[in-house]
Amino acid sequence: EKDPEYWRRQAQETLRNALRLQRLNQNVAKNLILFLGDGMGVSTVTAARILKGQLQHGQGEESLLEMDKFPFVALAKTYNTNAQVPDSAGTATAYLCGVKANEGTLGVSAGVTRDRCNTTKGQEVTSILRWAKDAGKAVGIVTTTRVTHATPSAAYAHSANRDWYSDGEMPPDALEGGCKDIARQLVENIPDIEVILGGGRKYMYPKNVSDVEYPQEEKHRGTRLDHRNLVQAWQDAKPRGKYVWHRRGLLALNLSRVDFLLGLFEPGDMVYELDRNNETDPSLSEMVSVAIRMLQKNPRGFFLLVEGGRIDHGHHEGKAKQALHEAVELDRAIGLATRLTSTQDTLSVVTADHSHVFTFGGYTPRGNPIFGLAPMQSDVDRKPFTSILYGNGPGYKIVAGERENVSAVDFAHADYQAQSAVPLRQETHGGEDVAVFAR
């Protein structure tokens, strides 16, 4: 790096690659994989790149994420029709259905008011998953959240409220108005989705039915008021359908004998990658590997939505370490998908639905641990500070009338909540543009 030639060679190589892109590939893609990092703003992408490099024992800054290797990059605005800083439901409607919508609404136009079931009829919009299905392609959804969460559900559901996971979460007027809960829409709206992998078992089972994995835990019991077992209903309709809830069951599948796959590995969201039990729960990469091999059986091609959904949750909790490890795992899944597909017939897009008020700075030297301290102390309160900070969130702490001294706590812990400027139980989204990477 001390030799100017090193940088000039890099510049030349970058230029040569860019010039090659002038000859546009105008083929129609047979397959499309959309990777959505929920809450993966640009600051998260940069910090995840450094983390990835440091996990491989490098300094970090020079390392490349798989998404960094995508030749085409753009910026996207993220606002909702009624929100400057958006939520994940209105944005999911935008990138999956091509229509901007109100905060908290799913698969419907901006003519729908959040919570008002009676505004829904006639305002439903169509998703790319439905278009792909209508074109004879195989379709799939893989997520680290509940399969009924905002991002995946905009692919198949139409709802005035993103939180209507099962009828047990719906107000009486919505049920009386004939609105369907999201879990029911998952099995009924587009009944032949080939692959559905993620969390969210409890919304599929009748109220108070014990969970298969956590039979003693009340919070993991079924939530449905209509007494329906949607997993059973899904299986009954699919003679060559397979339901799995354990990593072993997923990895042992003989895919040539399975036409439809439903995998629900947790009662709610999947466990953070850093905390995951790798005996019982598959990683995002493992789910993506099975999904692609399953969908590739269709000669007409496929559409696959892959969500790294808990990047967002880590940030909301002020736990940057959880969020960035989720982002690195999403990147691992992107690399895996690259190896399993060909750029000749597959369009891959990586983007985010919104950013977070997550930042890192403080004049850190090259190779500084991404979860480490800035090299200086504050010239105001004379205390050290971590490079990573949040604009708001649960990490706001006052000790004896002053900012907490971070050297007195384990700031490298997986669940450490980075300091924030404004106290909030949950950190908020950020409003700036997000990157779109394509190949």
Side-chain angles (χ1 to χ4, degrees):
E1 288 186 356
K2 291 180 179 168
D3 177 1
E5 269 311 298
Y6 169 82
W7 301 105
R8 295 204 177 108
R9 275 198 307 274
Q10 262 194 26
Q12 288 292 319
E13 183 57 25
T14 304
L15 269 176
R16 274 197 298 274
N17 288 338
L19 286 168
R20 272 203 293 277
L21 297 174
Q22 302 302 310
R23 294 191 287 280
L24 281 179
N25 170 358
Q26 296 187 324
N27 301 335
V28 175
K30 184 170 95 166
N31 313 312
L32 166 61
I33 309 178
L34 175 58
F35 297 95
L36 194 285
D38 198 306
M40 189 176 70
V42 172
S43 55
T44 300
V45 171
T46 311
R49 177 188 306 129
I50 293 172
L51 172 59
K52 178 182 177 177
Q54 292 182 350
L55 289 171
Q56 294 166 347
H57 311 295
Q59 289 180 297
E61 298 82 3
E62 69 297 320
S63 88
L64 279 177
L65 291 167
E66 296 295 333
M67 62 187 94
D68 290 333
K69 301 171 189 173
F70 282 38
F72 300 98
V73 186
L75 291 173
K77 303 177 186 180
T78 62
Y79 69 94
N80 293 150
T81 42
N82 63 343
Q84 188 174 65
V85 176
D87 95 307
S88 296
T91 49
T93 306
Y95 59 76
L96 290 171
C97 309
V99 175
K100 275 203 183 283
N102 288 327
E103 190 177 26
T105 65
L106 277 171
V108 290
S109 77
V112 174
T113 308
R114 185 173 186 163
D115 284 329
R116 289 189 40 203
C117 166
N118 63 359
T119 60
T120 312
K121 200 156 178 55
Q123 300 295 323
E124 298 90 350
V125 291
T126 315
S127 80
I128 188 164
L129 183 134
R130 166 85 71 172
W131 290 325
K133 193 80 226 170
D134 290 348
K137 294 181 186 295
V139 296
I141 291 166
V142 176
T143 178
T144 50
T145 64
R146 289 153 271 190
V147 294
T148 47
H149 212 253
T151 298
S153 54
Y156 59 79
H158 313 283
S159 181
N161 189 325
R162 57 175 286 178
D163 299 326
W164 292 349
Y165 300 121
S166 78
D167 57 350
E169 284 82 30
M170 292 174 72
D173 67 302
L175 290 170
E176 286 152 24
C179 280
K180 286 203 293 192
D181 64 86
I182 294 166
R184 197 176 141 198
Q185 292 189 57
L186 172 62
V187 297
E188 292 179 5
N189 286 8
I190 307 176
D192 45 2
I193 298 173
E194 278 81 358
V195 178
I196 302 164
L197 298 174
R201 277 195 298 262
K202 66 181 180 181
Y203 307 110
M204 313 296 277
Y205 289 99
K207 194 163 176 62
N208 290 329
V209 167
S210 292
D211 183 72
V212 59
E213 200 174 354
Y214 310 99
Q216 305 309 318
E217 294 195 46
E218 213 170 304
K219 66 177 178 189
H220 293 326
R221 289 182 186 165
T223 65
R224 301 199 64 78
L225 303 176
D226 60 8
H227 309 303
R228 291 182 64 187
N229 175 337
L230 293 182
V231 170
Q232 194 58 54
W234 180 90
Q235 280 179 298
D236 291 345
K238 297 183 169 49
R240 282 173 60 93
K242 186 83 178 140
Y243 168 65
V244 293
W245 59 269
H246 194 286
R247 177 175 178 266
R248 267 200 309 271
L250 178 73
L251 300 185
L253 286 173
N254 177 346
L255 297 185
S256 63
R257 295 192 182 156
V258 181
D259 290 343
F260 298 94
L261 174 58
L262 172 63
L264 301 173
F265 304 100
E266 284 291 326
D269 297 318
M270 304 271 291
V271 178
Y272 282 126
E273 178 61 22
L274 271 181
D275 305 335
R276 179 172 66 85
N277 176 335
N278 55 19
E279 295 288 305
T280 59
D281 288 356
S283 66
L284 180 60
S285 299
E286 288 170 333
M287 293 193 289
V288 166
S289 171
V290 172
I292 290 176
R293 298 203 316 271
M294 213 28 217
L295 298 175
Q296 279 173 333
K297 297 194 298 183
N298 186 323
R300 289 190 172 169
F302 64 83
F303 166 74
L304 174 60
L305 171 65
V306 176
E307 184 197 18
R310 304 213 65 199
I311 300 168
D312 182 65
H313 296 172
H315 282 323
H316 278 309
E317 294 174 12
K319 298 174 181 175
K321 193 164 194 174
Q322 296 285 13
L324 295 183
H325 276 270
E326 293 294 306
V328 169
E329 174 57 26
L330 173 64
D331 195 64
R332 199 175 291 131
I334 294 168
L336 180 77
T338 299
R339 294 191 292 280
L340 290 174
T341 56
S342 159
T343 52
Q344 292 306 303
D345 62 5
T346 304
L347 168 64
S348 301
V349 178
V350 182
T351 190
D353 48 353
H354 56 74
S355 185
H356 275 269
V357 293
F358 160 84
T359 179
F360 71 101
Y363 302 119
T364 42
R366 180 77 185 272
N368 202 64
I370 190 65
F371 304 114
L373 294 174
M376 56 210 261
Q377 295 189 336
S378 160
D379 52 7
V380 178
D381 69 9
R382 307 287 170 207
K383 289 192 181 75
F385 59 98
T386 54
S387 161
I388 285 174
L389 296 166
Y390 285 96
N392 58 48
Y396 179 93
K397 284 190 188 64
I398 298 295
V399 178
E402 292 187 353
R403 182 172 71 87
E404 182 177 58
N405 188 334
V406 292
S407 56
V409 296
D410 179 8
F411 53 80
H413 190 278
D415 288 329
Y416 173 68
Q417 293 176 307
Q419 290 186 339
S420 76
V422 176
L424 284 178
R425 287 203 179 93
Q426 285 250 302
E427 174 265 7
T428 72
H429 295 168
E432 77 273 20
D433 298 352
V434 295
V436 184
F437 308 84
R439 173 160 61 199

